[in-house]
């Protein structure tokens, strides 16, 4: 005979109630282990006795009153420990990087990319406008010679001014290739102190004499195909000069070239050009402006 056949209906009820009580007790036990313990601040103590002197009460951490009685200060609650591994609320990965790492990362960007990055959001604009980032970009694109200078308006403005001068200097050689006398006349400052020294060594002084010299150069039948290398620029408030080497498709060898510019009425004008033959043939890397 099965065991359930000997049990009466009240026995079933007792077994069910016992099992339910056991489950409730087990649930309460598990819940007590899973909940964190709460911090219970110490009770506030009062001192009913009068202190002999305010200095003693102050030394004991109490606040003296006018009548000499003192009350103990309630201890400040202990702050919760800060978890170093957790990221600050609302902060991004860029904000948590060391500034040197951010500058090094931005140094791999070129000029257009750095400008586009500054237009994304306020955080990227702050990072992209960092002076050290533009200094690193200047050294990468132009030269390391001016590492010790401190630009008045920062390295970003100095980079933009240098880039503008390099582009204007490139425009000068494009005019020479095109043999355009009207463009050359607009490129030079119309002043009596401008000077031009061609590779022949002859000096031309004054705007009209300089334009006549370029007319003679452009009338030369042979084409002017050359490469510009080792471009170095220095920019001041209203004056800039560019040095470089030019290699012409001739057997005469490379030339040392210096161009000087002045800033007038919102634009740069050439005021001096000097070209001279360089002795020896030294191989240099081409610098693309």
């Amino acid at each position: 005979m099965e065991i359930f056949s000997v049990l009466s209906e009240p026995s079933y009820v007792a077994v069910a109630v016992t099992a339910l009580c056991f489950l409730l007790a087990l649930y309460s036990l598990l819940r007590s282990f899973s909940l964190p313990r709460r911090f219970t601040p110490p009770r506030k103590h009062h001192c009913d006795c009068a202190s002999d002197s305010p200095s003693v009460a102050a030394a004991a951490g109490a606040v003296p009153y006018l009548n000499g009685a003192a009350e103990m200060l309630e201890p400040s609650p202990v702050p919760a420990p800060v978890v170093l591994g957790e990221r600050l609320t609302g902060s991004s990965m860029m904000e948590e990087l060391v500034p040197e790492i951010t500058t090094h990362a931005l140094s791999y960007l070129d000029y257009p990319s750095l400008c586009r990055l500054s237009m994304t959001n306020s955080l990227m604009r702050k990072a992209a406008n960092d002076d050290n980032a533009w200094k690193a970009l200047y050294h990468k694109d132009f030269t390391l010679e001016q590492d010790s200078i401190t630009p008045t308006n920062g390295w970003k403005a100095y980079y933009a001014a240098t880039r503008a001068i390099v582009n204007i200097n490139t425009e000068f050689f494009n005019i020479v290739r095109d043999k355009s006398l009207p463009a050359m006349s607009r490129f030079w400052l119309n002043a009596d102190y401008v000077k031009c020294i061609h590779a022949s060594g002859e000096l031309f002084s004054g705007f009209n004499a300089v334009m006549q010299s370029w007319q003679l150069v452009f009338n030369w039948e042979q084409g002017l195909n050359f490469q510009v290398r080792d471009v170095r620029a220095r920019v001041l408030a209203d004056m800039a000069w560019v040095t470089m080497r030019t290699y012409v498709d001739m057997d005469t060898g490379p030339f040392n070239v210096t161009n000087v510019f002045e800033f007038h009425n919102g634009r740069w004008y050439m005021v001096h050009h000097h070209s001279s033959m360089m002795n020896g043939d030294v191989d240099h890397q081409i610098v693309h402006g």
Side-chain angles (χ1 to χ4, degrees):
M1 182 179 294
E2 297 180 359
I3 187 172
F4 294 104
S5 62
V6 298
L7 296 177
S8 60
E9 183 175 354
S11 301
Y12 289 125
V13 176
V15 172
V17 173
T18 304
L20 181 60
C21 293
F22 176 75
L23 293 176
L24 290 175
L26 181 61
Y27 173 76
S28 300
L29 182 63
L30 294 176
R31 181 176 175 82
S32 63
F33 282 105
S34 61
L35 291 177
R37 296 181 180 271
R38 294 183 178 178
F39 171 76
T40 304
R43 294 182 179 180
K44 183 177 180 180
H45 300 279
H46 295 276
C47 180
D48 297 331
C49 61
S51 177
D52 294 336
S53 64
S55 61
V56 176
V63 179
Y65 289 89
L66 294 178
N67 58 3
E71 181 182 4
M72 297 297 294
L73 291 176
E74 182 180 356
S76 302
V78 180
V82 179
V83 181
L84 297 180
E86 296 181 358
R87 183 177 296 176
L88 297 176
T89 304
S91 63
S92 64
M93 184 180 297
M94 183 66 73
E95 289 176 316
E96 296 180 9
L97 288 178
V98 180
E100 289 77 8
I101 298 179
T102 304
T103 301
H104 180 73
L106 295 179
S107 65
Y108 290 96
L109 299 179
D110 56 4
Y111 173 73
S113 300
L114 197 58
C115 292
R116 285 192 292 265
L117 180 66
S118 65
M119 295 185 292
T120 55
N121 54 52
S122 59
L123 179 61
M124 293 295 101
R125 180 168 60 252
K126 180 180 179 181
N129 288 335
D130 182 72
D131 206 48
N132 292 324
W134 286 97
K135 181 178 180 179
L137 184 62
Y138 179 90
H139 289 162
K140 183 178 69 173
D141 290 352
F142 299 116
T143 177
L144 294 172
E145 295 175 350
Q146 303 178 38
D147 182 70
S148 60
I149 69 171
T150 303
T152 304
N153 299 322
W155 279 98
K156 181 178 180 180
Y158 191 70
Y159 180 96
T162 304
R163 186 178 179 88
I165 284 296
V166 170
N167 291 337
I168 292 174
N169 189 74
T170 302
E171 181 183 353
F172 166 75
F173 287 101
N174 290 335
I175 294 175
V176 175
R177 290 188 181 96
D178 296 338
K179 298 182 178 181
S180 175
L181 188 62
M184 185 65 75
S185 63
R186 293 189 298 268
F187 194 80
W188 281 78
L189 179 67
N190 192 346
D192 57 355
Y193 60 85
V194 299
K195 292 178 173 56
C196 181
I197 303 175
H198 292 284
S200 61
E202 187 175 0
L203 170 63
F204 299 88
S205 181
F207 179 79
N208 293 331
V210 169
M211 291 301 105
Q212 292 175 3
S213 69
W214 284 111
Q215 181 66 65
L216 296 176
V217 172
F218 293 160
N219 289 337
W220 195 22
E221 295 182 358
Q222 186 173 355
L224 298 176
N225 296 321
F226 49 86
Q227 294 179 334
V228 182
R229 306 182 180 184
D230 299 334
V231 179
R232 298 290 184 267
R234 178 75 170 101
V235 185
L236 300 180
D238 54 358
M239 178 175 291
W241 57 92
V242 185
T243 61
M244 71 224 77
R245 289 185 174 91
T246 59
Y247 290 75
V248 185
D249 292 339
M250 298 170 57
D251 296 332
T252 55
F255 296 86
N256 281 323
V257 179
T258 301
N259 291 333
V260 182
F261 301 88
E262 286 186 2
F263 194 77
H264 294 275
N265 300 323
R267 57 161 293 186
W268 292 97
Y269 292 91
M270 178 174 284
V271 295
H272 185 89
H273 170 77
H274 189 169
S275 178
S276 60
M277 187 178 302
M278 185 176 66
N279 296 327
D281 188 6
V282 183
D283 187 19
H284 294 276
Q285 183 179 2
I286 299 178
V287 178
H288 298 282

